[in-house]
Amino acid sequence: ASSEDWRIRYTAALLLNGASQDLNLDDLKNILVAFDFFVNAIVDDVPRISDVAMWSLGRLIKNFPFLVMDQDLFGRLCESVVGRMDVSDALTGRACWLLSICFSQFSKDDEESPLVSNFEKFSELLLECADKFDDTAPDAAFGALDKLLEHTPGTIAEQYNKLFELITAKLQYLIAQYQNELIENNDKYTQQMIGLLSLVHHIIMNVGPMISNISDQLMEMLNEALDFQNGNFVCEILPAMGGIARAIQSDFTKFIPTLMEKVFTYLESEETILSAASFISDIFNSSPDPPFPDDFIERIVGVLSEVLNNDNLKPQTRISVFSAIANIAFYIGDKCESWIGDYLDSLEAEAKSMLS
């Protein structure tokens, strides 16, 4: 096509995008016309037109979610989008962004949604995109996978198991490759580890107690990765471990002795305090068996109280520490009488400072 041809198509897409923002449900015919135009424009040979078409569809679907509830319309959109997911990093990132918008329109409780019937296809496609490119596309692909998990029911055990196997296989490969010094400072490696670990956490939260069958192997893998890149992945790994603790309850107690010295270390760094405090809340909500000894609890409370003396903590971090102490108090009951008064005074002072 000549340059004039693509400029005309590009201008038409921009104009229709603007006009479609003023449509309402009474304009069903025009909504469908705009949808058809943008879906067809996705496969345009000119990347700029493809990009604006996907951007426009995302805006249109946010306004009119029914467009993706129709399986025929959603199928056509997906077919066009998939065709642009191997062109470039930028277009793949835009395509993943559009899929995230689409996934967000479905109900998590709908076991008949196309997300359920196409779960494996979507998850494998997005994992491939995360592998293939090195810039913005991997983050967009992991974001779309998060939305897919967020909007599909945790009852589809077989599909979740297959995805979990894919993710853990990739993690095990990355962990094995860590001995290569080039990987230690590799941005792609860091991006992959963070994305995959976040997915592990999301799956654990979705499937709950069903994770118990592989919790030992999973904890071994996560524990090994805790020290990688000088603790660069702590903020992704501790939430996943906390999710396992809540899921398998007292069966998690056996992991705690080897973890807590590391957790105390994480409470000394502002970057990891929030994750460490949240993990402490998780283990005290996991019905530990045997119960935690008194001296162990006193040490945790002492360390957390010391953390609160740091005036530089962000509000969300302070809340996480207060929450951990509250969970401990709930766990030990009357045994907290020796320190609960100081805790409540600190909490009251914190509340006043936030409101002032």
Side-chain angles (χ1 to χ4, degrees), residues 1 6 9 40-51 83-84 87 91:
W6 81 258
R9 298 197 304 279
N40 291 330
I42 290 175
V43 296
D44 195 291
D45 291 336
V46 178
R48 189 179 295 184
I49 296 173
S50 183
D51 180 74
R84 309 307 282 164
V87 176
L91 275 186

Side-chain angles (χ1 to χ4, degrees), residues 303-323:
V303 172
L304 291 172
S305 299
E306 186 66 29
V307 169
L308 288 174
N309 292 329
N310 183 346
D311 295 331
N312 296 321
L313 292 184
K314 295 178 181 177
Q316 190 60 42
T317 302
R318 297 185 75 82
I319 290 170
S320 182
V321 176
F322 276 117
S323 178

Side-chain angles (χ1 to χ4, degrees), residues 176-191:
Q177 294 298 306
Y178 184 72
Q179 303 306 321
N180 181 341
E181 291 183 1
L182 293 175
I183 284 178
E184 187 168 354
N185 297 308
N186 186 310
D187 290 342
K188 172 74 171 181
Y189 178 85
T190 302
Q191 185 182 48

Side-chain angles (χ1 to χ4, degrees), residues 81-261:
V81 167
V82 169
R84 309 307 282 164
M85 295 183 83
D86 60 355
V87 176
S88 67
D89 178 271
L91 275 186
T92 300
R94 177 64 77 188
C96 292
W97 171 84
L98 176 56
L99 287 178
S100 294
I101 300 293
C102 294
F103 297 161
S104 298
Q105 311 311 313
F106 292 95
S107 168
K108 182 177 180 63
D109 300 322
D110 184 3
E111 296 190 357
E112 303 298 323
S113 85
L115 301 192
V116 172
S117 55
N118 294 284
F119 185 86
E120 288 180 50
K121 292 179 182 177
F122 283 131
S123 55
E124 290 175 7
L125 174 69
L126 291 166
L127 281 175
E128 286 176 10
C129 290
D131 273 343
K132 193 178 299 181
F133 298 99
D134 297 330
D135 194 6
T136 59
D139 286 338
F142 285 126
L145 276 163
D146 279 334
K147 287 298 178 185
L148 178 64
L149 293 171
E150 190 178 323
H151 292 272
T152 49
T155 53
I156 53 172
E158 184 178 349
Q159 293 96 316
Y160 268 104
N161 283 339
K162 288 182 178 179
L163 174 59
F164 202 73
E165 287 172 4
L166 286 173
I167 292 171
T168 52
K170 288 178 180 292
L171 275 172
Q172 286 168 341
Y173 172 78
L174 290 174
I175 288 171
Q177 294 298 306
Y178 184 72
Q179 303 306 321
N180 181 341
E181 291 183 1
L182 293 175
I183 284 178
E184 187 168 354
N185 297 308
N186 186 310
D187 290 342
K188 172 74 171 181
Y189 178 85
T190 302
Q191 185 182 48
Q192 290 283 305
M193 284 290 291
I194 289 175
L196 291 168
L197 288 167
S198 297
L199 289 177
V200 167
H201 179 215
H202 211 138
I203 292 174
I204 291 167
M205 299 307 291
N206 268 20
V207 303
M210 288 191 290
I211 205 71
S212 60
N213 292 334
I214 59 167
S215 57
D216 285 2
Q217 304 95 299
L218 186 54
M219 282 298 298
E220 182 181 357
M221 181 178 69
L222 293 175
N223 196 33
E224 189 175 356
L226 266 176
D227 298 324
F228 284 11
Q229 290 189 347
N230 298 316
N232 199 29
F233 307 121
V234 168
C235 294
E236 285 73 37
I237 294 173
L238 284 185
M241 288 182 167
I244 296 172
R246 287 177 176 267
I248 68 175
Q249 292 289 292
S250 59
D251 288 339
F252 190 84
T253 309
K254 62 187 177 184
F255 300 115
I256 293 174
T258 57
L259 280 173
M260 282 312 298
E261 288 306 319

Side-chain angles (χ1 to χ4, degrees), residues 15-44:
L15 290 172
L16 185 56
N17 171 59
S20 65
Q21 296 307 301
D22 294 326
L23 295 174
N24 56 56
L25 286 173
D26 294 332
D27 301 312
L28 179 59
K29 181 179 178 180
N30 289 328
I31 293 171
L32 293 174
V33 167
F35 181 86
D36 286 342
F37 177 90
F38 294 134
V39 167
N40 291 330
I42 290 175
V43 296
D44 195 291

